[in-house]
Amino acid sequence: MVAVEHDYKNIISHIDIDRTLDGINHFAFNGIKDSQVQDFKNDIESGNDSIELHLVKSNAYKEALILRLKKSDAVYSGESWKELLKEEQKTFGGSKIFYIDSGCTKLLILALPDEIKTKVNMLVTRLNKINEKISRLNSKIRKDNLDVYTAKAKNKEATDKEKDEIINFINQNLKV
């Protein structure tokens, strides 16, 4: 029987918005065919409720806001982010509060006239909720990593003992 080697997991970065002026694009929404929203078209058209889809297609929305997410170097974080964002992007009625581009690097908010701040508030509330979830996931990852280290430390034939000690030190001391 071959023993399965366990590896350490990476911490998931918290979701943050690029707060530079270049990270935010606020413009008049001219419909779903607008070139500025093409990266979001798939998310707008899939899994949305009929009322929201009607508002988009009938050009009821007049304002659009694209927020760039601060880059995470880890692909793992980006994939985790996409799952977490998808869970939190809808209202109870099924309307999407915001849209995610295909690369999970930007968020789009569409709003009725003078309602953009209300939608931004809703987005920020959801992002805070997601980041709380990420904190809980990271606590579990830290515990799992400690369990992996402890199990490897008990194995007298561990081949990467020095690497394990370095990773354990980083896991215990690096605040991210």
Side-chain angles (χ1 to χ4, degrees):
M1 185 173 198
V2 178
V4 176
E5 176 138 356
H6 293 10
D7 201 0
Y8 301 97
K9 296 177 186 167
N10 286 316
I11 298 296
I12 302 168
S13 300
H14 285 88
I15 298 175
D16 197 4
I17 302 292
D18 181 346
R19 294 177 175 109
T20 64
L21 292 176
D22 290 337
I24 297 171
N25 184 11
H26 184 232
F27 56 97
F29 180 67
N30 295 315
I32 198 162
K33 294 184 181 190
D34 189 328
S35 64
Q36 296 183 83
V37 299
Q38 290 309 298
D39 290 344
F40 302 93
K41 189 174 180 181
N42 186 46
D43 194 35
I44 291 169
E45 293 178 336
S46 65
N48 218 342
D49 78 339
S50 58
I51 295 169
E52 178 71 9
L53 210 47
H54 175 73
L55 290 170
V56 171
K57 290 185 175 184
S58 67
N59 294 340
Y61 289 126
K62 300 299 180 197
E63 287 185 82
L65 180 67
I66 296 176
L67 301 167
R68 190 169 57 208
L69 298 176
K70 282 182 78 177
K71 290 187 174 127
S72 169
D73 293 332
V75 172
Y76 178 70
S77 288
E79 286 303 311
S80 297
W81 283 2
K82 191 169 232 171
E83 291 172 32
L84 293 165
L85 285 164
K86 284 198 172 293
E87 288 175 25
E88 293 295 332
Q89 80 181 127
K90 290 185 174 186
T91 64
F92 291 117
S95 295
K96 291 183 179 179
I97 298 168
F98 59 90
Y99 301 96
I100 309 163
D101 74 326
S102 56
C104 197
T105 60
K106 297 179 281 187
L107 303 177
L108 168 70
I109 296 173
L110 299 175
L112 297 169
D114 301 319
E115 291 295 323
I116 200 77
K117 287 183 182 175
T118 303
K119 285 267 189 114
V120 170
N121 184 41
M122 291 166 55
L123 170 71
V124 168
T125 300
R126 297 296 174 103
L127 291 179
N128 284 335
K129 186 175 178 183
I130 292 168
N131 282 334
E132 287 172 15
K133 232 182 243 187
I134 289 172
S135 291
R136 290 191 298 277
L137 286 169
N138 284 342
S139 291
K140 184 181 180 331
I141 290 170
R142 283 186 188 93
K143 183 196 174 303
D144 291 348
N145 283 346
L146 182 58
D147 291 347
V148 169
Y149 174 74
T150 304
K152 284 185 171 192
K154 288 180 183 176
N155 180 0
K156 295 182 188 331
E157 297 176 21
T159 57
D160 293 324
K161 189 172 178 97
E162 196 170 317
K163 284 183 182 179
D164 287 329
E165 288 177 9
I166 291 168
I167 291 171
N168 185 56
F169 180 81
I170 292 167
N171 282 334
Q172 298 296 317
N173 297 294
L174 181 62
K175 307 291 183 214
V176 290

